[in-house]
Amino acid sequence: MGNRKQESMSFREGVDRMVDRATLAIGLDPDLARMIRACNAVLQVKFPVRLEDRVEVFTGWWATHSAHRLPAKGGLRYSPFVDQNEIEALASLMTYKCAVADIPFGGAKGGLVINSSAYTEAELRQITHAFAMELARRDFLHPGTNVPAPDLGTSSREMAWIADTYKTLYPEDLNQDACVTGKPRNRGGIAGRTEATGKGIQYALREFFRHADAVAAAGLTDGLAGKRAVFQGLGNVGYHTAKYLSEQDGVVVTAIIERDGVIVNEEGLNVHDVKQHLAETGGVKGFPGGVYSENGADALEMECDILVPAALESQIHAGNAMRIRAGMIVEAANGPVTYEADQILRDRGVTILPDVFVNAGGVTVSYFEWTRNLSHMRFGRLQRRYDELRGRELIATIEAITGHRVPEEMAQRVSKGASELDLVRSGLDDTMRQAFQEIREVLKAYPAIKDYRTAAYVVAIAKIAQSYYDLGLTASPKPVS
Ligand code: GLU
């Protein structure tokens, strides 16, 4: 990939500008925008770790962008290229994302400068443990204040190590499991968290395609089935999104861009097989089911219905935005389209489903995991068998009244009690649909706003402004003009 072009403004400035644009669009006090944009606290730590044959000093950050709701929530990123500006930008995106998805959390983000592939698993565990200690000692890791989750370069494995560190420090904390989300299932994790962001994107797209006017405005034909999609990145988010859309909705994945290039097949790639090849070889080169080219960045400009950047930020920039030939862009990654590119694409009428809406599935299910941890009980435990009983009674009543037997397969479907996964999926689907409808309401209420990103930011800002108002920090959340 590596297609990050130097823009005239930084990632964080770009996100701030988006806030300004939305605030202006609804005539809110600019002071309010300043309050909302400000990153509340940033902790930088430099800590030594004694590895087997040497001592290394690592640099990491945790940025709490907003504390209007607590805990502040966000992923923890491990990358050799991470820096403070990026972490602050990503933390602010989390604030807006939580507000759009109606998650009662503030926004945060963490980062550690590290090339994970250069360390053994035991070393990574040691480094993660040391980083978590630094955060916890300063109250930047706590179920009530700052709660990390997986992000680029981290997974349930790192979350288990972090939880373990916290428990060692605070064994008496009854809510210790809730200090981090995205944990393994047998360590307090929740069903459906690993694939949650991809599932959420699928639900968001299904909701989008339920609205014929929205689909027509994007210049697309009805229905997800048969739509041609190009994916950038087959990590956790890209993989699950591509897998669900191709296996369950008939989307044809024509290209997958990865670090070493792109693999193309106009008839459709088998996402599962590409992922397996990637796991075995470290790239897409040599995948037998498609044509390989080493120029991945150019493939972003391929003609398609849906372009899904699911890797790093700033992949679509002022330098290539004019050449993007997708009907719509679905921001599976955080910040894949720069502020300048966003303007170019809006002028060109390209529909963008923005990150702060479309990839909110991860933090949504993190919220479910956090509440599950606080309640100390898995969802559905109390009512599952009760629901089953009620279903059976309903079947028996229908049979008694009609004198006909309900076929067993039908009876089973009606009387099935919901599992934790069923409930998580239902809550996630509801969240994505509700968020899209709120965004559409803004578009209806403010005809001058024509794009989903500005509308999503308006949804977020209105909610955050209201909570500042409730705290007495602002005179009125109502538009000033
Ligand atoms: N890293 C994910 C994101 O950027 C999830 C954050 C979370 O679950 O707290 O949205």
Side-chain angles (χ1 to χ4, degrees):
M1 281 170 266
N3 189 22
R4 303 171 75 174
K5 184 180 171 294
Q6 206 54 47
E7 299 274 305
S8 63
M9 72 183 81
S10 70
F11 183 18
R12 190 171 53 77
E13 283 164 343
V15 178
D16 286 351
R17 288 271 199 105
M18 288 167 188
V19 175
D20 290 341
R21 193 169 73 203
T23 315
L24 252 175
I26 56 167
L28 278 182
D29 185 349
D31 276 350
L32 193 61
R34 280 201 299 123
M35 279 171 62
I36 290 173
R37 281 184 338 224
C39 187
N40 186 245
V42 193
L43 173 73
Q44 183 191 55
V45 289
K46 286 180 189 281
F47 56 97
V49 180
R50 175 172 291 281
L51 302 169
E52 211 180 316
D53 54 348
R54 65 198 186 282
V55 173
E56 272 191 48
V57 178
F58 291 89
T59 305
W61 294 270
W62 182 268
T64 307
H65 174 259
S66 64
H68 69 292
R69 296 249 189 280
L70 284 173
K73 192 81 189 79
L76 185 58
R77 180 168 286 203
Y78 280 11
S79 152
F81 308 111
V82 77
D83 62 37
Q84 186 171 333
N85 184 289
E86 179 189 23
I87 293 303
E88 286 187 26
L90 292 166
S92 66
L93 282 178
M94 286 309 302
T95 296
Y96 312 129
K97 195 187 298 188
C98 289
V100 169
D102 225 12
I103 307 289
F105 289 157
K109 200 84 177 189
L112 181 69
V113 183
I114 187 169
N115 173 12
S116 297
S117 60
Y119 298 89
T120 64
E121 183 164 10
E123 287 172 334
L124 285 172
R125 187 176 171 281
Q126 231 181 311
I127 297 160
T128 303
H129 177 70
F131 189 23
M133 286 285 251
E134 296 291 329
L135 297 178
R137 278 205 209 105
R138 295 169 175 87
D139 221 4
F140 277 77
L141 172 68
H142 185 278
T145 57
N146 289 282
V147 179
D151 198 78
L152 284 180
T154 58
S155 66
S156 57
R157 180 183 70 171
E158 284 75 13
M159 302 307 118
W161 293 338
I162 293 171
D164 199 41
T165 311
Y166 184 85
K167 285 177 194 177
T168 310
L169 279 173
Y170 306 105
E172 74 293 349
D173 184 345
L174 203 58
N175 295 321
Q176 48 183 233
D177 274 349
C179 73
V180 65
T181 60
K183 299 178 292 292
R185 285 289 299 281
N186 61 353
R187 311 282 307 174
I190 196 169
R193 174 62 186 83
T194 306
E195 66 275 28
T197 310
K199 252 291 157 214
I201 293 169
Q202 178 190 32
Y203 289 147
L205 269 172
R206 284 182 179 173
E207 179 60 15
F208 177 85
F209 276 91
R210 281 189 196 105
H211 299 271
D213 58 329
V215 177
L220 297 172
T221 53
D222 282 352
L224 255 174
K227 292 287 175 293
R228 292 159 58 255
V230 170
F231 277 75
Q232 184 195 37
L234 211 57
N236 177 35
V237 177
Y239 168 64
H240 285 110
T241 309
K243 179 179 145 72
Y244 290 132
L245 288 177
S246 59
E247 289 177 2
Q248 299 174 354
D249 297 294
V251 168
V252 183
V253 177
T254 55
I256 294 175
I257 306 165
E258 256 295 328
R259 276 189 207 92
D260 65 330
V262 58
I263 192 90
V264 180
N265 184 342
E266 290 296 337
E267 304 301 311
L269 292 157
N270 181 311
V271 175
H272 177 265
D273 292 351
V274 179
K275 180 75 177 172
Q276 200 144 349
H277 183 84
L278 188 64
E280 281 162 14
T281 69
V284 289
K285 187 176 180 180
F287 178 70
V291 177
Y292 170 79
S293 152
E294 60 183 24
N295 201 341
D298 282 0
L300 284 170
E301 299 161 22
M302 276 174 62
E303 197 273 318
C304 64
D305 298 310
I306 306 173
L307 174 60
V308 188
L312 290 169
E313 56 265 15
S314 311
Q315 296 297 300
I316 300 170
H317 45 73
N320 62 4
M322 273 314 284
R323 296 193 299 273
I324 298 294
R325 287 185 292 157
M328 78 189 290
I329 297 175
V330 174
E331 294 188 335
N334 289 313
V337 175
T338 65
Y339 181 80
E340 281 155 310
D342 185 65
Q343 258 174 332
I344 296 169
L345 292 162
R346 268 187 299 132
D347 291 347
R348 292 184 50 213
V350 177
T351 295
I352 302 179
L353 291 186
D355 45 9
V356 289
F357 156 59
V358 85
N359 76 31
V363 73
T364 300
V365 177
S366 275
Y367 168 48
F368 300 157
E369 180 175 329
W370 184 79
T371 53
R372 177 203 207 266
N373 293 153
L374 295 186
S375 72
H376 298 268
M377 200 193 290
R378 74 165 189 273
F379 291 117
R381 182 165 183 174
L382 292 184
Q383 69 270 40
R384 185 171 180 183
R385 298 299 165 198
Y386 181 74
D387 289 345
E388 195 177 293
L389 200 70
R390 293 298 303 247
R392 286 281 163 196
E393 275 169 10
L394 183 70
I395 301 286
T397 310
I398 292 169
E399 287 177 343
I401 292 171
T402 62
H404 291 291
R405 264 202 84 68
V406 173
E408 184 51 27
E409 187 260 333
M410 241 183 233
Q412 271 183 16
R413 255 190 295 134
V414 172
S415 59
K416 180 179 172 288
S419 67
E420 183 173 77
L421 185 61
D422 293 329
L423 294 170
V424 163
R425 293 265 161 92
S426 152
L428 177 58
D429 193 10
D430 184 54
T431 301
M432 300 312 290
R433 289 164 80 160
Q434 177 72 29
F436 188 66
Q437 281 157 25
E438 284 181 32
I439 293 168
R440 273 174 64 88
E441 274 162 30
V442 168
L443 289 173
K444 260 190 237 143
Y446 297 92
I449 302 177
K450 306 258 183 254
D451 66 297
Y452 291 107
R453 191 188 314 278
T454 309
Y457 273 77
V458 167
V459 170
I461 287 163
K463 289 181 190 172
I464 299 164
Q466 182 63 45
S467 72
Y468 281 150
Y469 174 70
D470 295 340
L471 292 172
L473 290 171
T474 169
S476 163
K478 302 269 171 342
V480 289
S481 60

